[in-house]
Amino acid sequence: MKKKLFFFLFLLSSCGFKVVTNTNNYNFDDIIISGDKRVNYTLKNKLISSSNTKSTNVIKLNIFTDKEKIIKEKNISNKVTKYEIKINAKIDYSFIKNGIEDNLTIVKTGFYDVGTRYSETLNNEKKLTNLLIDSLTKEIIKNLNIKLNDS
């Protein structure tokens, strides 16, 4: 019985599982932003915080963002009950070390409900905008890592 338990524990402890670390091996030299100021400010700060300042892979970014707020749903009395936010981002990037230049376009959309008070509606909009910016940042980082690892 002890041998079986020991053998079972030995198999579990040496299964070869390793945690994959997703380290960002790049540094942003210049980030030029235009478009919606609030989205750009948050996006730029998140991208800079994700970069590795000691890396030799230097990237230049040119980002244009556009935020649209669209009425998604109205009730019978013609009052708005739901809004849609769409953030369009056009990113031109170039790796200075490799000389690779490319662009990508990312569109993120989401919906939020109108609250009973105006302040609730504003909070819902801010929360959704921050979630969309987080998602946009993750997708930009993912695409940059893929492009960097391909070259």
Side-chain angles (χ1 to χ4, degrees), residues 120-134:
E120 289 177 19
T121 306
L122 287 179
N123 285 335
N124 291 342
E125 181 181 357
K126 286 179 185 178
K127 286 177 187 176
L128 178 63
T129 303
N130 286 334
L131 286 173
L132 293 175
I133 293 171
D134 287 342

Side-chain angles (χ1 to χ4, degrees), residues 18 48-49 57 61 69 80 89 95 112 128 134 144-145:
K18 288 186 179 180
I48 289 173
S49 68
N57 297 320
L61 284 177
K69 182 178 172 182
V80 177
F95 295 99
Y112 70 94
L128 178 63
D134 287 342
L144 290 175
N145 280 330

Side-chain angles (χ1 to χ4, degrees), residues 38-39 55 62 78 83 88 97 99 104 109 122 127 144 151:
R38 182 168 286 169
V39 172
S55 176
N62 187 3
N78 208 21
Y83 283 104
N88 300 315
K97 184 177 180 181
L104 64 121
T109 59
L122 287 179
K127 286 177 187 176
L144 290 175
S151 59

Side-chain angles (χ1 to χ4, degrees), residues 32-79:
I32 300 169
I33 54 175
S34 57
D36 189 81
K37 290 181 181 181
R38 182 168 286 169
V39 172
N40 286 337
Y41 178 77
T42 309
L43 183 65
K44 183 177 180 180
N45 286 338
K46 288 181 184 282
L47 286 172
I48 289 173
S49 68
S50 73
S51 68
N52 182 2
T53 57
K54 297 176 184 174
S55 176
T56 59
N57 297 320
V58 180
I59 302 174
K60 235 179 208 185
L61 284 177
N62 187 3
I63 302 173
F64 175 76
T65 59
D66 181 34
K67 178 182 167 187
E68 295 179 53
K69 182 178 172 182
I70 305 164
I71 296 173
K72 185 67 178 168
E73 206 174 277
K74 290 184 177 183
N75 62 10
I76 295 173
S77 62
N78 208 21
K79 289 185 181 179

Side-chain angles (χ1 to χ4, degrees), residues 88-122:
N88 300 315
K90 184 179 183 303
I91 300 107
D92 296 321
Y93 59 91
S94 62
F95 295 99
I96 295 176
K97 184 177 180 181
N98 308 23
I100 298 173
E101 293 184 8
D102 203 0
N103 62 358
L104 64 121
T105 304
I106 302 171
V107 178
K108 295 291 180 183
T109 59
F111 307 102
Y112 70 94
D113 293 325
V114 174
T116 55
R117 286 183 248 136
Y118 182 67
S119 61
E120 289 177 19
T121 306
L122 287 179

